[in-house]
Amino acid sequence: MKRNQYRNLVTMGLALCVAILALLAVFVDFDEVSTAQCIPAKETPVIAQWAVRSLINPMPLRKLSPGLLVEATPPPSPGPVPRYAAIDMSEDERRELAEVVYLEAGNQCAEGQQAVAEVILNRVISPDFPDTVYDVLHQGENSAGPQFSTIGSLALAEPETAQYEAINAALYGPSILPEDVVFFSRSGENDRVWGKIQDHVFCYRYIWK
């Protein structure tokens, strides 16, 4: 009778082991099928490599942040040179100034065009001339001798990038002319000559006695 009980225990133990193994096999197969359905085999290596790189060599955030800030934040706009800081020029005045630079010096080099723009701005800050860009450009317009002979031909002007760049260069520097150079012409306005740039002779203001 003891022998029969022993055999029954062994049989039950074997049956239990088989049942456990069967259950394990089912869970293993289910996991494999589930993984294959969620992530295709060809994508697995790519994801695994990205994850490994991120964990092993994380990006140094302290080094990245300043770079991102520099790229995202544009550099501040430059201010005008001190002598022109008080000039308040409208867009219409800027356009007319570009037209005059085009007509007076459009065939000159970049420095020559900037110098013409500086003469006009120097007049704005000079006590001897009007104190706005518009009034300087149009001074004497209806007389026999306007300050700028081209003022009556603005409709013919076709200013380009070069003329606007000349204005910006004059405003923001570095300056070419001293601030008391207020004349330019082909032959020179007076004997107080600062110098010559291509076709134009630039002169200082008169000294009134």
Side-chain angles (χ1 to χ4, degrees), residues 62-72:
R62 286 182 294 180
K63 292 183 179 179
L64 178 63
S65 297
L68 289 176
L69 290 175
V70 169
E71 293 177 1

Side-chain angles (χ1 to χ4, degrees), residues 13-24:
L14 291 174
L16 182 59
C17 291
V18 171
I20 292 173
L21 291 174
L23 288 173
L24 289 174

Side-chain angles (χ1 to χ4, degrees), residues 125-193:
I125 63 174
S126 170
D128 298 332
F129 296 91
D131 56 4
T132 69
V133 171
Y134 177 87
D135 289 337
V136 165
L137 293 176
H138 290 268
Q139 186 178 15
E141 180 178 9
N142 298 319
S143 67
Q147 289 293 308
F148 298 96
S149 60
T150 55
I151 195 64
S153 303
L154 296 186
L156 303 177
E158 297 179 356
E160 301 172 342
T161 302
Q163 284 72 59
Y164 287 99
E165 288 180 346
I167 295 171
N168 287 336
L171 281 172
Y172 301 120
S175 301
I176 294 176
L177 306 176
E179 64 181 78
D180 54 346
V181 173
V182 293
F183 296 106
F184 69 89
S185 64
R186 298 280 178 172
S187 57
E189 172 70 18
N190 54 40
D191 59 357
R192 304 189 69 235
V193 175

Side-chain angles (χ1 to χ4, degrees), residues 16 34-35 48 95 116 118 166 170 187 206:
L16 182 59
S34 177
T35 303
R95 186 190 68 254
V116 167
E118 286 186 21
S187 57
Y206 287 98

Side-chain angles (χ1 to χ4, degrees), residues 2 5 9 17 45 49 51 64 77 90 101 114 118 127-128 156 161 163:
K2 291 182 178 180
Q5 290 178 349
L9 290 174
C17 291
Q49 291 173 9
L64 178 63
S77 299
S90 68
V101 172
Q114 177 182 340
E118 286 186 21
D128 298 332
L156 303 177
T161 302
Q163 284 72 59

